[in-house]
């Protein structure tokens, strides 16, 4: 065991353990670092949830767009007006379908699809289709 001798010739005893100040400084640094990590983790989780909802909304919009763009003109009246629930993964949406007869003639219909997430009254998405009746006996379709 080494002995420390100061300039006056006295033998100093060795330092054993850690002081209370060093423990407090270490704990303060740990709290600051863990607090910053907690903030970053919270932001990441919130952003992940928002992206999950946005992808579900995009999926529902694309699904409804595909459904009503291939719907035959004469079948529009059977689907509208209607209000029902559409489920995408773990999200549920309220779907309202309506149509308006065209003002230029009966061969045009405007279909409107409104989607709103159940429980959320602030975000509303809508799709608007203008459908025209095609004639099979046109001189252009020989």
């Amino acid at each position: 065991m080494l002995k420390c001798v100061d300039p006056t010739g006295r033998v100093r005893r060795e330092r054993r353990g850690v002081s209370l100040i060093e423990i407090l400084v270490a704990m303060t640094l740990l709290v600051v670092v863990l607090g910053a990590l907690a903030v970053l983790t919270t932001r990441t989780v919130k952003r992940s949830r928002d992206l999950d909802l946005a992808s579900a909304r995009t999926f529902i919009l694309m699904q409804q767009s595909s459904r009503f763009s291939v719907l035959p003109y004469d079948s529009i009246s059977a689907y509208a007006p209607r209000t029902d629930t559409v489920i995408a993964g773990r999200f549920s949406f309220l779907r309202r379908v309506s149509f308006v007869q065209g003002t230029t003639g009966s061969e045009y219909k405007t279909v409107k699809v409104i989607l709103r997430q159940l429980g959320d009254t602030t975000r509303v998405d809508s799709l608007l289709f203008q459908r025209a009746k095609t004639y099979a006996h046109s001189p252009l379709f020989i």
Side-chain angles (χ1 to χ4, degrees):
M1 185 165 163
L2 296 174
K3 294 185 179 182
C4 297
V5 179
D6 64 2
T8 59
R10 288 187 299 171
V11 176
R12 291 189 319 183
R13 64 172 200 216
E14 289 184 15
R15 181 175 162 189
R16 302 174 84 186
V18 190
S19 70
L20 183 62
I21 297 293
E22 290 173 333
I23 292 174
L24 289 176
V25 169
M27 287 179 65
T28 303
L29 285 173
L30 183 65
V31 165
V32 169
V33 169
L34 288 179
L37 285 175
V39 168
L40 290 174
T41 303
T42 305
R43 286 183 187 168
T44 303
V45 168
K46 183 184 181 311
R47 188 171 184 112
S48 175
R49 286 183 183 164
D50 290 344
L51 287 173
D52 188 26
L53 175 62
S55 66
R57 290 172 64 200
T58 303
F59 169 73
I60 286 291
L61 285 171
M62 292 302 295
Q63 181 188 42
Q64 299 304 309
S65 174
S66 297
R67 170 174 285 171
F68 287 102
S69 62
V70 299
L71 185 68
Y73 177 83
D74 295 329
S75 299
I76 292 174
S77 307
Y79 281 90
R82 180 185 285 182
T83 301
D84 55 357
T85 303
V86 180
I87 298 173
R90 56 190 180 99
F91 299 105
S92 298
F93 294 89
L94 183 69
R95 176 180 69 180
R96 287 196 178 118
V97 182
S98 62
F99 77 95
V100 176
Q101 198 69 34
T103 57
T104 59
S106 63
E107 65 271 356
Y108 291 101
K109 290 182 182 177
T110 302
V111 180
K112 186 174 186 180
V113 180
I114 298 173
L115 292 167
R116 174 177 291 156
Q117 183 185 4
L118 292 177
D120 185 7
T121 59
T122 58
R123 295 181 182 172
V124 177
D125 294 314
S126 61
L127 298 168
L128 198 62
F129 299 95
Q130 186 159 17
R131 300 294 307 272
K133 186 172 187 177
T134 58
Y135 296 100
H137 296 90
S138 171
L140 298 175
F141 299 121
I142 297 177

